[in-house]
């Protein structure tokens, strides 16, 4: 089985020693993405909804670099610093998965790298 490292220069750079994504065995595994603006390297202003939108912009870029789309996402994990903001995050999340949303796990955490309030990991199935 071939393993391919995926990198999208239009998405936020990793904040540690890991790949943005890995393509292997018909799947694309996107590392935990945050609402980091790729131009500034900083978390976007505007609260949880703005962060969630930027997070998905980063995820979409990585998926596209791997030859996949959000429609092929089969599972997500959402880490949130403040679960009281779940509804606001969920409103934005649902914009990206209008039909046949993937399985999802959402967990509360005490902190995230780069001062993020949300981090989302996705797995997509490409069948390749």
């Amino acid at each position: 089985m071939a393993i391919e490292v995926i990198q999208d220069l239009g998405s936020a750079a990793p904040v540690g020693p890991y790949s943005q994504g890995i393509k292997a065995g018909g799947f694309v595994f996107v590392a935990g993405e945050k609402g980091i603006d790729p131009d500034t390297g900083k978390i976007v202003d505007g609260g949880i909804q703005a962060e969630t939108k930027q997070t998905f912009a980063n995820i979409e870029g990585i998926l596209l670099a791997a030859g996949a789309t959000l429609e092929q996402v089969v599972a997500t994990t959402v880490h949130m610093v403040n679960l009281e903001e779940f509804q606001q995050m969920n409103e934005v999340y649902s914009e990206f998965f209008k039909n046949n949303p993937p399985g999802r796990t959402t967990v509360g955490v005490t902190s995230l790298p780069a001062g993020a309030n949300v981090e989302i990991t996705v797995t997509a199935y490409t069948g390749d």
Side-chain angles (χ1 to χ4, degrees):
M1 171 177 63
I3 295 175
E4 179 184 351
V5 172
I6 305 300
Q7 182 177 11
D8 175 47
L9 298 177
S11 296
V15 295
Y18 59 88
S19 299
Q20 289 174 317
I22 297 290
K23 189 172 185 178
F27 289 91
V28 178
F29 302 91
V30 177
E33 290 299 309
K34 292 163 265 322
I36 297 175
D37 181 325
D39 294 329
T40 66
K42 307 274 188 213
I43 297 293
V44 296
D45 292 329
I48 192 70
Q49 290 187 318
E51 276 191 54
T52 304
K53 284 181 186 175
Q54 182 62 53
T55 299
F56 274 108
N58 293 334
I59 289 168
E60 282 185 302
I62 296 163
L63 286 171
L64 288 172
T69 68
L70 284 171
E71 291 178 356
Q72 293 169 291
V73 171
V74 295
T76 67
T77 303
V78 179
H79 296 90
M80 296 183 66
V81 172
N82 183 358
L83 286 175
E84 290 181 13
E85 296 178 323
F86 177 82
Q87 186 57 41
Q88 295 96 316
M89 179 282 300
N90 204 44
E91 287 175 17
V92 174
Y93 181 99
S94 67
E95 293 173 17
F96 291 91
F97 297 113
K98 294 183 194 290
N99 299 308
N100 303 316
R104 177 176 77 184
T105 300
T106 303
V107 295
V109 297
T110 58
S111 66
L112 289 166
N117 292 298
V118 65
E119 179 178 88
I120 302 173
T121 302
V122 305
T123 301
Y125 180 67
T126 63
D128 296 346

